[in-house]
């Protein structure tokens, strides 16, 4: 906690709070035990409630014998999504279903569900005074429905298609019976709804099917009449008679052309062979002729006989002459037969040509007929499509009608849900839970008692302790901690004032700000400075601000904390237990181990340390060596001496050129004059004054005069 205005900063003493609670532990324990006893007695006096729960699984339950599950599958799928399950939860909470359960179980006869049927005297009095509406004006069913809803809980089990039905009642048997009856009524309503849907569907389909049958008959009749009138007799599944005939003629024409070309080629080949004098038996048509083959056989036999007789008879022998004459006759027959074969091929080629001409004429005629038939088929296909569409719709309606009629019998349409867990008679009460209520009441009483005690201590001020942090830490600019990169803090650096020196480099005779002092130190190249804070920690805080301001201007600055209160160490060091100047003077640590980074700037600090101060002062002669070594490494070595006098400063400021800074924060003018006089008498003629004020302060015409 921070002070406001001129008040001192305070903090909460946690140890004091716990001590205050411990001192009053008897009263706290008595209050805790008393609250536990009261809660236990109250829980025992409350009439117990019992809760039963039934769970229902939402799933598709189409009969296996159904051959068209795909017709209703999309409708069943809609109840399986999140919104579908929530819709079924609302169905279970619907007034109609609850009223049906109430009628089945005669709940209106039970006092638990109609407590207003027997009102108390106080209730009658309130009704008479007009302060309460007469509950008997509502019908019994509405009164039962109101009480029923207060005891009912229907919810969807998380990430599942299971719905829980929980009911609370004073009677454990009733707590189990009502959820089970609700599940039964729900399944019955769901099955009945599907049965009604199928009945309505079959009733609607009957006239539609009769109408479609008549439309199909008329459409097919129009197709038949149009086909007969246009002569589009069917010749297959995809062709009419004209198209089929055109295809046949085209095929026959191609065959006839091929045969004619073949015959003409064979005749031309035979004619060329005969003209060239080549043997006729080299042609395939001649070789394949049976007559030629027989003549060839006779020719070969006669030649054989001539060859046999030539060995015994002379050429003029009548026998040889007869055989030769017979051989010539056979050769003549062969030539004659060859010419007949050639004539036959030529005739066959001519016949093929005539046949081709006839087929071409027929083809041209059929092309014209086919073109006309194609135009007429456009209308025929339109009629056939209409008839097919009507027929397909009729078949679909017939399939749905057969399915709908098969589902109109009992148990043919089960509900799209089933009970997976039925409620059983509970053996333990659901409310009140005596032990948890007692424990919670005791803990709450303990907590409230402790809070009341702590608030009393805080408001009385006994739990608050002062914080030794000067008011100089007010708000300015945030500075990042260089030595701890993961932490960035914000510090408030106030604008103080200092009187600049009496030389030509003085910024102003009446300027006593930190900026003026920092500019003086930079401009004059001061290497060693001693700060004296007659006001104590307030002046030491201003010295810390001066060091940080110089560090922000890229000056390498180190501060040595020789103050008695170790205020600079608290403000700059990461920890209060770091080794510092006292440890260095007694020789406990090495030189490098005593230098640490400022937690809010780039400056360095040699903390106060935790060694014996008296032992450290015995080694004060080593301080000058330390200062000289630091002056070689830093731009400025600043020694904070706290509330020291001129004699104490003389032990530190031994080197020539050492600057004395009087950090006189909130110090009166008389005290400042006294301090300057004492330092003047000790031989320090140039003292830099820092009062925390700019353009304001004692009007000294010259510091030496002061």
């Amino acid at each position: 906690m921070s002070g406001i205005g001129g008040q001192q900063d305070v903090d909460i003493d946690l140890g004091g709070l716990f001590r205050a609670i411990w001192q009053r532990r008897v009263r706290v324990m008595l209050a805790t035990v008393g609250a536990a006893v009261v809660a236990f007695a109250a829980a025992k006096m409350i009439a117990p409630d019992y809760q039963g729960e039934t769970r229902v699984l939402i799933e598709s339950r189409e009969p296996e014998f159904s051959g068209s599950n795909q017709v209703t599958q999309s409708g069943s799928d809609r109840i399986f999504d999140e919104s579908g399950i929530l819709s079924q939860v609302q169905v279970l909470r619907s007034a109609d279903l609850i009223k049906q359960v109430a009628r089945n179980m005669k709940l209106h006869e039970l006092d638990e569900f109609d407590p207003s049927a027997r009102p108390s005297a106080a209730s009658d009095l309130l009704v008479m005074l007009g302060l309460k509406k007469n509950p008997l004006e509502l019908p019994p069913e509405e009164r039962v429905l109101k009480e029923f809803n207060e005891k009912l809980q229907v919810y969807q089990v998380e990430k599942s298609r299971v719905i829980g039905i929980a009911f609370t009642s004073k009677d454990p048997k009733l707590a189990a019976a009502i959820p089970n009856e609700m599940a039964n009524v729900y399944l019955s309503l769901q099955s009945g709804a599907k049965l009604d849907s199928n009945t309505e569907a079959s009733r609607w389909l009957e006239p539609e099917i009769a109408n479609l049958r008549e439309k199909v008959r008329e459409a097919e009749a129009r197709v038949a009449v149009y086909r007969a009138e246009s002569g589009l007799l069917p010749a297959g599944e995809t062709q009419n008679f004209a198209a089929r005939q055109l295809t046949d003629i085209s095929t026959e024409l191609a065959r006839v052309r091929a045969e004619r070309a073949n015959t003409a080629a064979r005749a031309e080949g035979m004619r060329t062979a005969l003209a060239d004098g080549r043997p006729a038996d080299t042609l395939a048509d001649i070789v394949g002729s049976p007559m030629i083959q027989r003549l060839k056989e006779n020719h070969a036999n006669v030649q054989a006989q001539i060859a046999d007789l030539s060995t015994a008879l002379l050429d003029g022998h009548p026998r040889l002459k007869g055989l030769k004459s017979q051989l010539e006759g056979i050769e003549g027959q062969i030539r004659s037969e060859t010419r007949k074969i050639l004539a036959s091929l030529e005739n066959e080629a001519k016949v093929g040509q005539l046949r081709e001409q006839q087929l071409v004429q027929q083809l041209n005629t059929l092309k014209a007929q086919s073109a006309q038939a194609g135009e007429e088929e456009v209308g025929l296909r339109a009629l056939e499509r209409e008839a097919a569409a009507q027929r397909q719709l009729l078949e679909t309606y017939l399939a749905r009608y057969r399915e709908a009629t098969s589902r109109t019998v009992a148990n043919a349409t089960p509900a799209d849900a089933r009970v997976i867990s039925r409620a059983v008679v509970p053996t333990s009460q659901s409310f009140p839970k005596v032990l948890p209520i007692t424990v919670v009441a005791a803990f709450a009483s303990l907590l409230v008692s402790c809070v009341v005690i702590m608030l009393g201590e805080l408001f009385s001020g006994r739990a608050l302790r002062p914080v030794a942090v000067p008011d100089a830490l007010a708000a300015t600019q945030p500075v990042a901690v260089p030595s701890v990169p993961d932490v960035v803090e914000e510090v408030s650096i106030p604008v103080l004032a200092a009187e600049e020196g009496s030389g030509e480099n003085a910024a102003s005779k009446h300027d006593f700000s930190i900026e003026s002092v920092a500019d003086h130190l930079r401009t004059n190249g001061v290497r060693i400075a001693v700060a004296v804070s007659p006001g104590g920690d307030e002046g030491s805080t201003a010295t810390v601000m001066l060091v940080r301001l110089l560090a922000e201007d890229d000056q390498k600055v180190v501060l040595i904390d020789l103050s008695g209160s170790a205020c600079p160490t608290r403000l700059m060091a990461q920890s209060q237990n770091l080794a510092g100047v006292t440890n260095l003077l007694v020789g406990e640590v090495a030189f490098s181990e005593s230098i640490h980074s400022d937690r809010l700037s780039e400056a360095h600090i040699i903390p106060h340390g935790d060694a014996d101060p008296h032992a450290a002062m015995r080694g004060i002669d080593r301080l000058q060596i330390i200062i000289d070594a630091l002056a070689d490494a830093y731009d400025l070595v600043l020694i904070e001496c706290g509330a020291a006098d001129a004699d104490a400063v003389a032990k530190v400021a031994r080197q020539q050129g050492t600057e004395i800074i009087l950090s006189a924060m909130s110090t009166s003018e008389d005290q400042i004059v006294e301090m300057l006089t004492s330092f003047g008498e000790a031989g320090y003629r140039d003292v830099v004054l820092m009062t925390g004020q700019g353009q304001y302060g004692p009007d000294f015409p010259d510091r030496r005069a002061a």
Side-chain angles (χ1 to χ4, degrees):
M1 298 174 60
S2 300
I4 302 175
Q7 299 179 359
Q8 187 179 11
D9 287 352
V10 295
D11 198 359
I12 297 175
D13 186 3
L14 296 179
L17 292 177
F18 286 110
R19 285 193 298 271
I21 295 173
W22 180 251
Q23 291 172 358
R24 298 169 178 82
R25 61 185 180 277
V26 177
R27 281 184 287 176
V28 172
M29 294 305 300
L30 289 177
T32 302
V33 173
V37 171
V38 172
F40 181 82
K44 281 293 186 181
M45 294 176 60
I46 298 175
D49 289 336
Y50 299 89
Q51 187 180 70
E53 184 182 62
T54 299
R55 293 197 170 189
V56 178
L57 174 63
I58 307 299
E59 63 177 359
S60 177
R61 300 189 65 198
E62 295 296 332
E64 295 296 335
F65 61 82
S66 176
S68 58
N69 286 339
Q70 67 276 8
V71 176
T72 58
Q73 190 67 30
S74 59
S76 299
D77 288 342
R78 285 194 296 269
I79 66 174
F80 293 157
D81 57 11
E82 190 70 19
S83 59
I85 302 299
L86 294 177
S87 299
Q88 299 306 310
V89 169
Q90 296 303 317
V91 171
L92 282 164
R93 295 187 62 90
S94 63
D96 292 341
L97 188 147
I98 294 175
K99 289 179 180 179
Q100 182 64 39
V101 173
R103 286 193 293 269
N104 294 347
M105 302 187 69
K106 299 180 179 179
L107 297 181
H108 61 278
E109 299 177 359
L110 302 177
D111 295 339
E112 179 181 356
F113 291 90
D114 194 6
S116 59
R118 298 178 182 178
S120 61
S123 178
D124 291 340
L125 180 60
L126 293 175
V127 172
M128 291 177 60
L129 295 176
L131 301 178
K132 179 181 178 181
K133 186 178 180 180
N134 189 1
L136 297 179
E137 294 179 357
L138 295 174
E141 279 192 351
E142 297 297 330
R143 299 198 298 268
V144 171
L145 180 62
K146 180 180 178 181
E147 293 293 329
F148 196 102
N149 282 322
E150 292 179 355
K151 300 173 181 293
L152 177 64
Q153 182 183 5
V154 182
Y155 62 95
Q156 176 190 1
V157 178
E158 186 178 3
K159 296 181 180 180
S160 68
R161 299 200 305 267
V162 176
I163 298 177
I165 308 171
F167 193 83
T168 304
S169 175
K170 303 294 184 183
D171 185 357
K173 295 182 179 179
L174 198 61
I178 288 180
N180 292 332
E181 182 63 22
M182 287 188 67
N184 295 334
V185 173
Y186 171 74
L187 295 178
S188 177
L189 291 177
Q190 291 291 90
S191 178
K194 295 176 69 175
L195 184 64
D196 293 342
S197 176
N198 291 325
T199 303
E200 292 295 330
S202 60
R203 185 180 299 112
W204 178 82
L205 285 172
E206 286 180 357
E208 292 295 325
I209 289 174
N211 187 23
L212 277 176
R213 282 176 175 169
E214 182 64 24
K215 290 182 178 179
V216 169
R217 188 190 63 79
E218 293 177 357
E220 291 180 346
R222 286 195 296 270
V223 170
V225 171
Y226 187 88
R227 189 187 297 275
E229 291 177 353
S230 58
L232 299 175
L233 300 177
E237 296 181 357
T238 59
Q239 289 183 335
N240 54 35
F241 182 76
R244 181 62 177 273
Q245 191 176 14
L246 181 62
T247 302
D248 294 342
I249 293 297
S250 299
T251 304
E252 180 66 17
L253 178 60
R255 187 187 63 79
V256 169
R257 284 177 174 175
E259 290 181 355
R260 181 186 64 78
N262 185 30
T263 303
R266 287 157 54 194
E268 183 64 24
M270 185 179 295
R271 189 181 303 107
T272 303
L274 293 177
D276 295 340
R278 286 181 293 173
D281 53 2
T282 59
L283 301 176
D285 291 320
I286 294 176
V287 174
S289 174
M291 178 62 70
I292 296 296
Q293 291 177 359
R294 288 195 297 271
L295 291 175
K296 286 289 186 179
E297 291 176 359
N298 294 334
H299 186 272
N301 292 331
V302 173
Q303 281 184 337
Q305 292 178 9
I306 292 174
D308 290 340
L309 294 176
S310 296
T311 58
L313 299 176
L314 297 175
D315 293 336
H317 194 278
R319 180 67 176 165
L320 289 175
K321 291 182 178 180
L323 290 173
K324 290 180 179 180
S325 177
Q326 186 178 356
L327 183 61
E328 293 176 357
I330 293 173
E331 291 177 351
Q333 291 180 357
I334 291 174
R335 288 193 295 270
S336 176
E337 189 64 29
T338 300
R339 287 192 292 269
K340 290 180 180 180
I341 292 174
L342 176 59
S344 176
L345 291 175
E346 292 175 349
N347 292 333
E348 186 176 352
K350 292 180 180 180
V351 171
Q353 184 177 6
L354 294 175
R355 178 60 178 163
E356 179 183 355
Q357 294 175 356
Q358 293 177 354
L359 290 175
V360 168
Q361 294 176 357
Q362 293 180 3
L363 182 63
N364 294 332
T365 303
L366 288 175
K367 284 182 180 179
Q369 295 178 357
S370 178
Q372 183 179 359
E375 296 176 358
E376 295 175 347
E377 275 190 347
V378 174
L380 177 63
R381 282 195 294 270
L383 295 175
E384 288 178 343
R385 283 195 300 270
E386 181 181 357
Q390 297 291 344
R391 189 182 306 108
Q392 184 178 5
L393 183 59
L394 175 62
E395 292 174 355
T396 302
Y397 277 20
L398 286 173
R400 293 188 178 182
Y401 179 76
R402 286 191 294 268
E403 182 180 1
T405 53
S406 66
R407 291 168 180 261
T408 54
V409 298
N411 300 326
T413 54
D416 289 331
R418 62 185 177 90
V419 179
I420 60 173
S421 175
R422 287 194 172 273
V424 297
V425 178
T427 57
S428 60
Q429 62 190 39
S430 61
F431 182 83
K433 300 291 185 181
V434 179
L435 182 59
I437 290 177
T438 304
V439 173
V440 171
F443 179 76
S445 176
L446 175 63
L447 184 61
V448 170
S449 300
C450 294
V451 171
V452 170
I453 294 173
M454 288 189 291
L455 289 177
E457 292 294 311
L458 290 173
F459 288 131
S460 65
R462 291 189 295 270
L464 302 178
R465 62 183 180 185
V467 180
V469 178
D471 293 337
L473 297 177
T476 56
Q477 53 187 345
V479 182
V481 181
S483 60
V484 187
D486 294 335
V487 179
V488 176
E489 299 181 357
E490 286 191 2
V491 63
S492 298
I493 305 176
V495 177
L496 304 179
E499 190 271 330
E500 194 60 37
S502 60
E504 294 179 356
N505 295 327
S508 173
K509 190 165 85 170
H510 302 288
D511 190 3
F512 308 102
S513 65
I514 289 179
E515 290 82 357
S516 178
V517 175
D519 184 64
H520 166 72
L521 296 176
R522 283 192 306 268
T523 304
N524 295 285
V526 177
R527 304 301 300 272
I528 301 173
V530 177
V532 180
S533 303
D537 290 348
E538 197 169 18
S540 299
T541 302
T543 304
V544 172
M545 300 301 109
L546 174 62
V547 169
R548 288 175 174 169
L549 182 60
L550 291 170
E552 290 178 5
D553 293 335
D554 298 328
Q555 295 286 313
K556 295 179 62 177
V557 187
V558 61
L559 186 144
I560 302 175
D561 186 5
L562 289 179
S563 63
S565 63
C567 175
T569 300
R570 292 197 304 271
L571 295 177
M572 298 179 68
Q574 300 287 342
S575 172
Q576 305 302 317
N577 300 322
L578 297 177
V581 64
T582 57
N583 303 90
L584 191 59
L585 291 175
V586 299
E588 292 181 352
V589 297
F591 191 82
S592 59
E593 295 177 1
S594 63
I595 303 176
H596 306 278
S597 297
D598 179 19
R599 55 191 187 91
L600 297 179
S601 72
E602 297 287 344
H604 288 170
I605 180 175
I606 298 180
H608 186 276
D610 54 2
D612 185 11
H614 298 287
M617 291 306 296
R618 286 194 293 269
I620 194 65
D621 294 334
R622 301 177 57 191
L623 181 61
Q624 193 60 46
I625 301 174
I626 297 172
I627 294 174
D628 293 339
L630 292 173
D632 295 334
Y634 290 87
D635 297 332
L636 174 64
V637 179
L638 182 59
I639 303 100
E640 171 59 34
C641 296
D645 54 10
D647 295 335
V649 172
K651 298 178 182 180
V652 178
R654 297 179 181 179
Q655 186 175 349
Q656 292 294 330
T658 301
E659 193 80 25
I660 305 299
I661 301 174
L662 182 60
S663 181
M665 309 295 294
S666 301
T667 305
S668 65
E669 296 181 2
D670 294 336
Q671 291 175 331
I672 295 174
V673 171
E674 182 181 355
M675 291 295 298
L676 291 175
T677 302
S678 64
F679 277 96
E681 293 174 352
Y684 300 100
R685 307 305 300 169
D686 294 326
V687 178
V688 177
L689 180 62
M690 185 163 60
T691 64
Q693 299 167 348
Q695 301 299 330
Y696 177 81
D699 188 11
F700 302 125
D702 186 71
R703 265 187 310 187
R704 292 182 176 81

